[in-house]
């Protein structure tokens, strides 16, 4: 009989490799679920309209200190593009719902009953991520009692790979009055620092400064109100409203911006809206869960134009209007012209395909948003 020695080093290498992968996944899951909780808390802060008192740098992230004395921790993460990014978006009903971004495709998250998963309101849910025994991503909407596989835009389960990062957060940038958090899916979260002036003028390197948010709003991602052109007291009623018989109202007695905000704030002129489009770069962006248009000036500063739709008379009592095309943005300009069909005011607007200027719409019937400027 002869004896031989069995070499089991290869088997142990595989076992150790598996143990390392499991440990790495557990670490990343803890970080991902912490990020989901942080995003939920940020949504709550946005809806409560609290502001930041300060930001503390940590060894691997930042602690956000809010005016209501609450705190939120966000983490820096290593690079990784294959993990799903769990985030929120604002739906047409005015509430936030959870979304997932997988392979650059963003889709709503649905529970087992086919319902969108709320991220705000009394029914808000905080999802939890895990990986099953076959190394697929799974998610829970009931506090971890039950899980189901995450599905991509084609309905296939998503494999957990070694290329995944360990945070949904990409970068954090603070200025004097706001904090911008960029997630790995490209969306931005913008939080005010301190009690800043409600009428912030942004220098884009143009002939005028543009307001950081719409008339009637309090943040850049809010739609604001819709107004009739030249209705300085905001009391006009369609279909009996008659717009001022003026070609230019910006800065004058029919300028509702000057009436509401005072100072040198006013409606933009036609040349200023052309300048905004021709001298700035426009790109689709998502800020605070709202899909809109980011406009970056020649000096690198930017403003965000949320989708507003436009108001049209609806059936029912006289004076009621309804928003249409709420995925697109429509903004009045303080100039108009008259022809045989009535008075038409200039607008600039964008849709899912592009952006436009020098459009003209009926000044007597339609309601639109306004982005003020400061001369």
């Amino acid at each position: 009989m002869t004896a031989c020695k069995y070499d089991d080093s290869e088997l142990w290498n595989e076992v150790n490799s598996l143990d390392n992968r499991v440990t790495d996944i557990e670490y990343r899951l803890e970080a991902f679920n912490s990020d989901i909780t942080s995003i939920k808390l940020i949504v709550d802060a946005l809806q409560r309209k609290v502001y930041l008192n300060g930001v503390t740098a940590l060894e691997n992230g930042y602690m956000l200190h809010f005016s209501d004395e609450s705190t939120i921790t966000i983490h820096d993460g290593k690079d990784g593009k294959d993990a799903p990014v769990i985030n929120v978006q604002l739906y047409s009903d005015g509430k936030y719902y959870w979304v997932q971004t997988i392979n650059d495709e963003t889709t709503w998250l649905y529970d087992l009953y086919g319902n969108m998963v709320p991220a705000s309101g009394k029914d808000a849910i905080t999802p939890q991520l895990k990986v099953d025994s076959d190394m697929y991503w799974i998610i829970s909407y009931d506090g971890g009692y039950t899980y189901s596989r995450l599905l991509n835009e084609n309905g296939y389960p998503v494999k957990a790979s070694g290329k995944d990062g360990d945070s949904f957060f990409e970068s954090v940038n603070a200025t004097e009055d706001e904090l911008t958090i960029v997630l790995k899916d490209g969306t931005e979260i913008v939080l005010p620092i301190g009690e800043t002036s409600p009428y912030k003028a942004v220098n884009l390197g143009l002939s005028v400064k543009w307001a950081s948010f719409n008339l009637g709003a309090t943040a850049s991602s809010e739609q604001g109100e819709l107004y009739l052109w030249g209705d300085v007291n905001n009391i006009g009623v369609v279909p009996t409203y008659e717009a001022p018989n003026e070609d230019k109202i910006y800065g004058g007695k029919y300028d509702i911006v000057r009436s509401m905000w005072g100072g040198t704030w006013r409606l933009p002129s036609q040349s200023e809206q052309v300048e905004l489009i021709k001298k700035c770069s426009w790109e689709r962006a998502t800020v605070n869960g709202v899909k809109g248009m980011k406009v970056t000036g020649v000096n690198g500063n930017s403003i965000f134009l949320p989708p507003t739709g436009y108001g049209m008379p609806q059936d029912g009592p006289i004076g009621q209007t309804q928003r249409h095309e709420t995925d697109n943005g429509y903004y009045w300009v303080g100039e108009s012209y008259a022809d045989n069909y009535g008075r038409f005011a200039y607008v600039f607007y964008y849709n899912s395909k592009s952006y436009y200027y020098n459009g003209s719409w009926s000044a007597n019937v339609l309601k639109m948003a306004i982005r003020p400027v400061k001369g």
Side-chain angles (χ1 to χ4, degrees):
M1 297 179 62
T2 59
C4 63
K5 185 177 180 180
Y6 173 66
D7 184 1
D8 60 358
S9 60
E10 184 175 348
L11 175 62
W12 280 110
N13 287 338
E14 292 181 1
V15 170
N16 291 332
S17 176
L18 178 61
D19 287 343
N20 291 336
R21 287 166 57 197
V22 170
T23 301
D24 183 56
I25 288 173
E26 289 176 347
Y27 166 76
R28 285 186 280 126
L29 283 172
E30 182 179 355
F32 285 151
N33 287 318
S34 175
D35 287 348
I36 292 174
T37 300
S38 296
I39 291 171
K40 172 63 173 62
L41 294 174
I42 289 173
V43 169
D44 292 341
L46 288 171
Q47 295 203 311
R48 289 185 286 111
K49 298 186 184 300
V50 297
Y51 56 87
L52 287 170
N53 278 330
V55 180
T56 302
L58 305 175
E59 183 178 352
N60 62 341
Y62 301 87
M63 178 173 287
L64 312 183
H65 303 268
F66 287 90
S67 56
D68 63 353
E69 299 185 353
S70 63
T71 60
I72 298 173
T73 301
I74 59 176
H75 299 94
D76 286 334
K78 64 185 179 183
D79 292 337
K81 298 182 179 180
D82 289 348
V85 175
I86 307 301
N87 196 2
V88 297
Q89 282 189 12
L90 193 69
Y91 192 58
S92 57
D93 62 1
K95 298 179 181 179
Y96 285 93
Y97 293 87
W98 293 101
V99 296
Q100 63 179 12
T101 300
I102 301 173
N103 297 327
D104 297 326
E105 293 288 339
T106 300
T107 54
W108 300 104
L109 282 174
Y110 294 94
D111 62 21
L112 295 177
Y113 304 100
N115 301 312
M116 294 168 58
V117 182
S120 64
K122 63 180 181 180
D123 299 324
I125 292 171
T126 304
Q128 293 184 23
L129 279 177
K130 283 182 66 176
V131 175
D132 66 16
S133 58
D134 294 321
M135 298 297 294
Y136 286 98
W137 290 104
I138 56 177
I139 192 165
S140 173
Y141 304 118
D142 56 10
Y145 288 103
T146 61
Y147 284 84
S148 59
R149 283 185 174 178
L150 273 180
L151 304 178
N152 62 20
E153 72 278 7
N154 297 316
Y156 296 110
V158 182
K159 197 83 170 180
S161 74
K163 300 178 182 178
D164 304 323
D166 59 5
S167 176
F168 297 147
F169 299 108
E170 179 73 28
S171 64
V172 178
N173 181 50
T175 63
E176 291 183 357
D177 51 17
E178 65 184 22
L179 181 79
T180 301
I181 305 168
V182 181
L183 276 70
K184 281 191 167 65
D185 62 0
T187 62
E188 297 181 11
I189 298 173
V190 180
L191 299 168
I193 300 176
E195 294 183 279
T196 59
S197 168
Y199 311 139
K200 178 183 174 184
V202 180
N203 179 12
L204 299 175
L206 306 177
S207 61
V208 293
K209 295 180 179 179
W210 286 78
S212 58
F213 52 81
N214 292 347
L215 191 66
T218 59
S220 61
S221 54
E222 293 181 3
Q223 293 178 326
E225 301 298 326
L226 301 183
Y227 304 91
L228 287 163
W229 191 84
D231 183 19
V232 67
N233 296 313
N234 198 24
I235 57 174
V237 176
V238 291
T240 60
Y241 178 74
E242 290 188 16
N245 190 28
E246 303 278 344
D247 290 344
K248 299 179 180 180
I249 64 170
Y250 57 90
K253 64 179 181 179
Y254 295 112
D255 190 331
I256 190 172
V257 175
R258 180 63 56 86
S259 174
M260 292 178 64
W261 285 13
T264 58
W265 288 104
R266 58 174 173 80
L267 280 156
S269 69
Q270 189 180 4
S271 62
E272 289 159 358
Q273 61 136 354
V274 173
E275 181 185 46
L276 181 72
I277 289 182
K278 288 195 171 183
K279 292 188 177 182
C280 296
S281 62
W282 290 55
E283 60 180 340
R284 300 291 295 188
T286 302
V287 174
N288 293 351
V290 177
K291 288 185 175 181
M293 191 71 74
K294 185 176 182 179
V295 183
T296 303
V298 295
N299 57 5
N301 295 333
S302 63
I303 60 174
F304 179 72
L305 297 174
T308 61
Y310 57 84
M312 286 280 288
Q314 67 176 9
D315 294 336
I318 292 178
Q320 289 189 348
T321 57
Q322 181 177 0
R323 290 194 192 228
H324 297 264
E325 296 190 29
T326 53
D327 291 335
N328 307 327
Y330 292 84
Y331 292 84
W332 283 130
V333 172
E335 296 190 49
S336 69
Y337 67 91
D339 62 19
N340 294 334
Y341 298 96
R343 180 158 293 278
F344 296 86
Y346 290 104
V347 303
F348 64 94
Y349 63 102
Y350 68 82
N351 55 29
S352 60
K353 296 180 180 179
S354 189
Y355 44 88
Y356 308 88
Y357 63 93
N358 283 351
S360 57
W361 294 60
S362 172
N364 294 325
V365 178
L366 292 163
K367 286 187 173 184
M368 291 191 185
I370 294 173
R371 178 57 64 96
V373 299
K374 192 172 188 178

